[in-house]
Amino acid sequence: MGPPLTRDSRLLSGYNAPMRRDLPEACRITANRLLVFFAASLLASAIPLSAGEGPRETKLRERAARLAGSLDDRALAAQVLLTGIDGKGRIDSDMAELLSRIPAGGVMLFRYNLSVDKEEIAPFLRTVSDTVISGCGIAPLLAVDHEG
């Protein structure tokens, strides 16, 4: 029996389980399919279903389904992520590569990201958004942590 698992190690081991290389191929495929199903369910539920759904809602739902169908498993699963980023007024090449490879559905910005001149914030936000768009074609939700 190994060392006792802490709360953090349990969370991390559970998060990494679908990507572990020592699992049989069938398990990894099943785990990936579940991630895709989960992400697709979240995307589909983003537009409320009502008995009196009009043409606009139907078009939005159809557009969301086409968009979700056009994404590979990794990009679709990334759409449920809200992540913070490194960088003060700019993103470095490692962070840009990561956001392109795993295009998160949202990016949370903190005080340290935005403690620059006002004129630098809009280009920074544009760069972050364009970087994520280059990975999946979908603009991320940009959020700001405004505590303190």
Side-chain angles (χ1 to χ4, degrees):
M1 186 165 172
L5 293 175
T6 64
R7 179 180 177 273
D8 292 337
S9 64
R10 282 194 309 262
L11 289 174
L12 291 174
S13 66
Y15 175 78
N16 291 328
M19 302 303 169
R20 288 177 46 185
R21 300 293 178 226
D22 59 332
L23 292 176
E25 180 68 17
C27 290
R28 286 197 311 262
I29 290 171
T30 301
N32 287 338
R33 286 183 179 157
L34 287 171
L35 281 173
V36 169
F37 175 75
F38 176 69
S41 298
L42 286 175
L43 282 174
S45 67
I47 303 169
L49 186 60
S50 66
E53 186 172 275
R56 182 174 186 273
E57 290 81 8
T58 301
K59 284 183 182 181
L60 287 173
R61 188 174 301 285
E62 289 169 355
R63 182 175 176 219
R66 280 194 309 274
L67 185 59
S70 72
L71 299 175
D72 64 15
D73 294 353
R74 181 179 218 110
L76 187 60
Q79 286 301 297
V80 298
L81 299 177
L82 176 66
T83 185
I85 59 172
D86 291 336
K88 180 179 173 181
R90 65 177 192 80
I91 55 175
D92 63 22
S93 60
D94 290 338
M95 184 57 63
E97 191 274 329
L98 183 62
L99 285 175
S100 294
R101 192 168 43 88
I102 305 172
V107 176
M108 174 70 76
L109 301 168
F110 295 92
R111 180 179 296 176
Y112 65 85
N113 297 120
L114 302 174
S115 58
V116 295
D117 292 334
K118 255 194 306 191
E119 298 78 32
E120 296 176 55
I121 293 175
F124 173 57
L125 296 177
R126 199 170 304 109
T127 300
V128 170
S129 185
D130 290 347
T131 302
V132 173
I133 290 170
S134 74
C136 68
I138 303 171
L141 169 74
L142 297 176
V144 176
D145 177 60
H146 195 69
E147 294 177 16

